[in-house]
Amino acid sequence: MAAESLNLKITGKSHVKAKKNIGRKEYQLVTFDLPYLAFYYNQKLLFYKGNDFKGMVEKVKEGLSVVLEEFHQLAGKIGKDEEGVFRVEYDDEMEGVEVTEAVAEDVGVEDLAVSESSSSLMELVPYNGILNLEGMHRPLLAIQLTKLKDGLAMGCAFNHAVLDGTSTWQFMSSWAEICSGAPSTVAPPFLDRTKARNTRVKLDLSLPEPNGLPSENEEKPKPKLREKIFKFSESAIDKIKSTVNENPPSDGSKAFSTFQALSAHVWRHITLARNLKPEDYTVFTVFVDCRKRIDPPMPEAYFGNLIQAIFTVTAGGLLLAHPPQFGASLIQKAIEAHNAKAIDERNKEWESAPKIFEFKDAGVNCVAVGSSPRFKVYDIDFGWGKPENVRSGTNNKFDGMIYLYPGKSGGRSIDVELTLDPHAMEILEKDKDFLLEV
């Protein structure tokens, strides 16, 4: 599909609040949350087939008012306490979650399931280019429901200073189960962030003056990047994994996981496509879920950010001159070294000199993975079937950023959603060893 407009019309805006009164609540943001204040809202886009748009919208909104009782933080705002420590604030008078309704009836679900992302897809997701810090003045969750020729596009924007991917998909699962009447499989959110880290960090952060930030409609001059989804079948994933595990290392280390094998595969082929000099460094970054890594461990249902970025670096020439085990081993060692002690040290270092991440800080010639194929995104069924397609919006994407999703066909298949410089992308698309085409 070309980048032409979808001819989308906004037909209404409303706000959804929790069904029951909850009262005033305050939740301190902790060291795992704060670095993301200068990231953008995290955007997810799901497409569903169906003809009863009005009924679907009513059901989604009704279920939202119920799920917001437990997940009421998403109906709150970011604020600061009297000492300048950021927190999530909720009270029943707040406006709640923003829901926009729109129509793009010339476009079908299949038209939007294309592998290449385009500017028109971005019209389906709210809060393009909106910083998390702006959650002081606007909802922490915004949803856009767009009527398509034969279905519904659901675009969601979550404030990333308030929650990570694990919490995002737990919320989505709970919401869908309420709407479809399915028995709940999701534990209630565990809301006390200070159990994970109880350091009070004061940040002197305020929003730039309104004229200092480009508005939503004023495009910042960004380098032109391409976004594309590469679908790896179950057999391709098995081949990548078995290849990297062919000659087990003599030092007795564990076999490489699917994630480590696929990450090394993607890192090598992107490095090849970038045509680096042998001595150029390349950084591999992965955002690791720390719920079970910290001491004491936190429940899976911990609501908030409990991720940290870990990095490993090597020279491009070394990565390519060695077999795939070399890259996989670097990634494996970095992940395994990230234990409770390493997490604690990273937090202490950050707390002593807080540094707000910006996405361009990811590293030189970076490949960064920011989502997990363990998230069961194709099980998000609101009562009219599973999504036809799931992808991320354009926020928080830069050259080398990857989101991994389970493949729609299930099993061990994985979708690799990749943002890359157009020249490198062109080379990668022709790389038969990357796509494992027969």
Side-chain angles (χ1 to χ4, degrees):
M1 196 179 85
E4 76 274 4
S5 164
L6 300 175
N7 204 4
L8 179 132
K9 291 181 187 60
I10 303 280
T11 54
K13 257 194 188 164
S14 58
H15 288 86
V16 174
K17 302 166 99 150
K19 207 163 191 165
K20 291 196 185 104
N21 277 355
I22 292 160
R24 172 83 183 172
K25 301 275 188 188
E26 293 163 355
Y27 302 92
Q28 179 193 319
L29 291 182
V30 298
T31 309
F32 291 103
D33 300 304
L34 295 169
Y36 299 101
L37 281 164
F39 275 35
Y40 296 93
Y41 273 69
N42 208 7
Q43 297 171 314
K44 300 293 166 207
L45 186 50
L46 299 88
F47 297 105
Y48 292 94
K49 287 266 175 78
N51 299 323
D52 177 16
F53 182 71
K54 195 164 173 290
M56 290 161 104
V57 168
E58 275 168 22
K59 189 181 238 189
V60 159
K61 285 176 152 180
E62 173 62 24
L64 184 58
S65 69
V66 176
V67 78
L68 285 174
E69 290 169 23
E70 284 188 330
F71 287 90
H72 53 265
Q73 290 188 32
L74 291 173
K77 290 269 194 296
I78 292 175
K80 283 182 178 182
D81 67 17
E82 47 295 335
E83 290 178 5
V85 176
F86 280 97
R87 62 187 180 188
V88 178
E89 299 173 349
Y90 173 87
D91 68 54
D92 297 319
E93 274 58 68
M94 289 180 177
E95 56 189 4
V97 171
E98 182 180 301
V99 181
T100 302
E101 290 168 49
V103 180
E105 287 186 276
D106 307 339
V107 190
V109 170
E110 286 304 309
D111 302 327
L112 298 169
V114 289
S115 60
E116 183 102 15
S117 189
S118 64
S119 54
S120 51
L121 275 175
M122 296 315 115
E123 295 179 50
L124 301 170
V125 199
Y127 287 15
N128 290 310
I130 299 293
L131 289 168
N132 294 316
L133 191 57
E134 295 188 46
M136 295 180 83
H137 310 291
R138 58 166 83 215
L140 302 180
L141 170 59
I143 291 157
Q144 181 177 320
L145 304 169
T146 304
K147 181 181 187 185
L148 305 172
K149 194 191 311 184
D150 56 353
L152 163 89
M154 177 187 277
C156 305
F158 292 88
N159 190 298
H160 203 334
V162 175
L163 78 168
D164 61 14
T166 298
S167 293
T168 294
W169 292 111
Q170 281 172 341
F171 166 78
M172 293 296 286
S173 300
S174 286
W175 181 18
E177 284 169 353
I178 287 166
C179 290
S180 66
S184 174
T185 60
V186 184
F190 178 88
L191 297 176
D192 187 357
R193 297 164 188 260
T194 60
K195 290 280 188 290
R197 188 83 185 165
N198 202 3
T199 319
R200 291 173 54 76
V201 184
K202 298 184 193 76
L203 287 177
D204 185 23
L205 262 190
S206 52
L207 275 175
E209 289 305 306
N211 56 5
L213 260 185
S215 70
E216 254 180 287
N217 9 11
E218 215 177 272
E219 266 302 286
K220 297 166 229 170
K222 286 200 212 87
K224 209 61 196 128
L225 296 171
R226 282 179 60 194
E227 290 171 36
K228 187 165 180 176
I229 296 175
F230 294 93
K231 295 179 180 297
F232 286 87
S233 65
E234 198 167 64
S235 63
I237 292 292
D238 290 349
K239 187 173 173 192
I240 289 167
K241 191 172 176 182
S242 61
T243 303
V244 78
N245 281 304
E246 260 164 15
N247 303 309
S250 49
D251 62 3
S253 50
K254 294 209 292 272
F256 298 113
S257 67
T258 298
F259 176 82
Q260 291 158 5
L262 179 61
S263 295
H265 178 79
V266 173
W267 188 18
R268 290 188 79 209
H269 286 275
I270 290 177
T271 301
L272 191 62
R274 282 176 169 161
N275 203 5
L276 303 182
K277 298 193 190 78
E279 66 275 18
D280 285 346
Y281 284 121
T282 169
V283 175
F284 183 87
T285 304
V286 55
F287 289 87
V288 181
D289 181 2
C290 299
R291 282 167 178 74
K292 295 288 175 261
R293 291 170 184 266
I294 57 175
D295 186 20
M298 286 293 111
E300 190 62 17
Y302 174 94
F303 184 84
N305 287 288
L306 207 40
I307 50 175
Q308 274 186 345
I310 58 177
F311 308 91
T312 184
V313 63
T314 187
L318 279 176
L319 186 64
L320 298 177
H322 285 83
Q325 288 84 345
F326 176 79
S329 177
L330 288 173
I331 294 166
Q332 184 184 59
K333 286 186 168 77
I335 291 173
E336 287 187 349
H338 208 67
N339 56 18
K341 184 167 172 288
I343 293 168
D344 186 51
E345 280 169 10
R346 170 81 68 85
N347 281 334
K348 282 187 179 134
E349 180 191 354
W350 190 86
E351 287 155 5
S352 67
K355 174 176 182 294
I356 300 302
F357 297 152
E358 291 187 43
F359 245 59
K360 58 178 188 296
D361 299 336
V364 57
N365 299 316
C366 183
V367 175
V369 178
S371 183
S372 167
R374 287 196 312 273
F375 299 148
K376 295 183 167 60
V377 301
Y378 284 100
D379 290 353
I380 309 291
D381 179 350
F382 289 88
W384 46 76
K386 298 185 174 200
E388 298 294 318
N389 187 250
V390 178
R391 63 203 309 155
S392 320
T394 204
N395 282 357
N396 299 327
K397 287 186 170 169
F398 55 87
D399 188 356
M401 185 67 205
I402 291 170
Y403 290 85
L404 297 179
Y405 291 107
K408 188 180 174 222
S409 54
R412 294 181 297 283
S413 63
I414 294 178
D415 287 353
V416 175
E417 185 182 51
L418 169 61
T419 304
L420 211 57
D421 165 81
H423 183 64
M425 185 73 93
E426 208 178 314
I427 297 171
L428 192 68
E429 286 170 323
K430 296 181 181 137
D431 179 350
K432 289 197 167 33
D433 294 333
F434 173 59
L435 303 167
L436 299 184
E437 288 172 351
V438 185

